Amino acid sequence: MPTWLKRQLTGAFLHKNKQQIRILNQCWFFYCNELED
């Protein structure tokens, strides 16, 4: 996981920002799927 994504997720969890967490999770899954192709 890239460091920028870890930082974003940590901040989102600290602020209990569920919408941001959901968006970041989607970004991460999209990122993983792109690497597999």
Side-chain angles (χ1 to χ4, degrees):
M1 184 180 287
T3 50
W4 64 268
L5 190 58
K6 283 183 188 173
R7 262 200 310 273
Q8 291 290 315
L9 272 170
T10 304
F13 276 112
L14 283 174
H15 298 295
K16 295 181 173 59
N17 188 341
K18 289 190 177 77
Q19 184 182 3
Q20 189 180 7
I21 292 167
R22 200 171 297 127
I23 291 168
L24 289 166
N25 277 334
Q26 287 174 344
C27 287
W28 178 238
F29 286 121
F30 181 75
Y31 181 81
C32 287
N33 288 338
E34 287 296 306
L35 289 178
E36 289 173 1
D37 289 342

